[in-house]
Amino acid sequence: MNSFTLDPALSRDTIEIMKLELCYLGLMNDKRYPWLILVPMRAEMVELIDLQPEDQQQLLTEINQVSHLLQSVFSPHKLNIATLGNMVRQLHIHIIARDQTDPAWPGPIWGIGSAQPYNKDEADSIIARLTTRLMS
Amino acid sequence: MNSFTLDPALSRDTIEIMKLELCYLGLMNDKRYPWLILVPMRAEMVELIDLQPEDQQQLLTEINQVSHLLQSVFSPHKLNIATLGNMVRQLHIHIIARDQTDPAWPGPIWGIGSAQPYNKDEADSIIARLTTRLMS
């Protein structure tokens, strides 16, 4: 039985873009960076190696899909991909489009300053751009 | 032609453990954390999506192998896995065994304080432990 529920902190901090085959795809509600989160919709996963091999394969496919998405929409200088989970243990993967002008560059983005939430128009606009590209 | 050479910063900051099928496996010379680095031995790779699909598959295999290695040797509270590349562009993957008592917990480890290099005996000892487990 797969009784997946999204961790409350991930639910609070992200805006749902769509559900992929394996993962919930969310936009981190922080307009300082184009910052997406993939959460495999499997119960009680903490580490990457907790996933079944076929789910790991699908996760890799979705990481590639989201990486290409961010490259095509934002043309970043660098992608950052990470699974940390020190604070939120539910397995989740950060994929962030980094630029040399962003406020944390060249350091990592976690723990730097405070999130700047999108207003509704901004969120609608970026999610529309991402969804359109994902469906194309 | 594959004219791979390890980036000078990665060469300076790591101690070679061994070469796996795809990746150079190095120990970050910082005894504050059990911190390993995988570097696919392919020329001019920057992003994960630059790798050919078969190399991505092998990288996933080696990430799993190194994750199990760190779990079995150090029993960490959490593994952190990341490819950032903001400072060193050559594609490399960090796999770090994190504990709630380590100096950066619960934050990420990058950019926190200064590396504490192993002395020769310490480095020999940890590399022997890792290598023995890898070969078993």
Side-chain angles (χ1 to χ4, degrees):
Chain A
M1 201 191 72
N2 179 32
S3 59
F4 173 81
T5 53
L6 188 63
D7 178 275
L10 294 174
S11 178
R12 179 194 65 218
D13 295 341
T14 65
I15 303 167
E16 180 171 335
I17 298 171
M18 66 167 60
K19 291 187 173 75
L20 304 175
E21 186 177 317
L22 175 66
C23 293
Y24 163 93
L25 174 61
L27 171 69
M28 191 66 98
N29 192 9
D30 185 348
K31 64 185 179 187
R32 296 175 301 166
Y33 322 94
W35 179 352
L36 304 187
I37 303 272
L38 283 169
V39 188
M41 293 180 287
R42 295 284 183 264
E44 296 176 19
M45 298 288 113
V46 172
E47 300 288 0
L48 185 65
I49 49 175
D50 293 340
L51 286 173
Q52 293 296 317
E54 61 272 23
D55 284 343
Q56 279 204 345
Q57 289 298 319
Q58 184 58 30
L59 177 60
L60 182 58
T61 297
E62 295 180 8
I63 288 172
N64 286 330
Q65 189 180 4
V66 170
S67 297
H68 285 295
L69 172 69
L70 287 177
Q71 274 200 337
S72 68
V73 173
F74 299 102
S75 305
H77 183 67
K78 189 69 190 67
L79 293 172
N80 288 178
I81 305 176
T83 175
L84 305 177
N86 304 339
M87 300 197 195
V88 172
R89 278 181 80 76
Q90 183 174 71
L91 178 63
H92 61 286
I93 295 90
H94 303 263
I95 307 183
I96 310 132
R98 301 297 309 274
D99 267 309
Q100 290 165 295
T101 55
D102 75 39
W105 186 265
I109 46 126
W110 302 278
I112 305 294
S114 301
Q116 294 180 12
Y118 295 97
N119 66 38
K120 186 171 184 320
D121 283 353
E122 290 167 336
D124 288 350
S125 165
I126 187 172
I127 285 177
R129 286 168 71 197
L130 292 169
T131 307
T132 303
R133 188 65 68 113
L134 264 176
M135 311 290 259
S136 69
Chain B
M1 202 191 70
N2 178 32
S3 58
F4 172 80
T5 51
L6 188 62
D7 178 274
L10 294 175
S11 177
R12 180 194 64 217
D13 295 342
T14 66
I15 303 167
E16 180 171 333
I17 298 172
M18 65 167 61
K19 291 188 174 74
L20 303 175
E21 186 176 320
L22 175 67
C23 291
Y24 164 92
L25 174 61
L27 170 69
M28 191 69 96
N29 192 9
D30 184 348
K31 64 184 179 187
R32 296 176 300 166
Y33 322 94
W35 178 353
L36 304 187
I37 302 273
L38 284 169
V39 188
M41 294 181 286
R42 296 284 183 265
E44 295 175 19
M45 296 290 111
V46 172
E47 301 288 0
L48 186 64
I49 49 176
D50 293 340
L51 286 173
Q52 294 295 316
E54 60 273 23
D55 284 343
Q56 279 204 346
Q57 288 299 320
Q58 183 58 31
L59 177 60
L60 182 58
T61 297
E62 296 180 8
I63 288 172
N64 286 331
Q65 189 179 4
V66 171
S67 297
H68 285 294
L69 172 68
L70 287 177
Q71 274 200 337
S72 67
V73 175
F74 299 102
S75 305
H77 184 69
K78 188 69 189 67
L79 293 171
N80 289 178
I81 304 176
T83 175
L84 305 177
N86 304 339
M87 300 197 195
V88 172
R89 279 181 78 76
Q90 183 175 70
L91 177 62
H92 61 287
I93 296 89
H94 303 264
I95 307 183
I96 309 132
R98 301 298 308 276
D99 267 309
Q100 291 164 296
T101 55
D102 76 39
W105 186 266
I109 46 125
W110 303 277
I112 305 294
S114 300
Q116 293 180 12
Y118 294 96
N119 67 37
K120 185 171 184 321
D121 284 352
E122 291 167 336
D124 288 349
S125 165
I126 188 173
I127 286 177
R129 285 169 71 195
L130 293 169
T131 308
T132 303
R133 189 65 69 116
L134 264 176
M135 309 292 258
S136 68

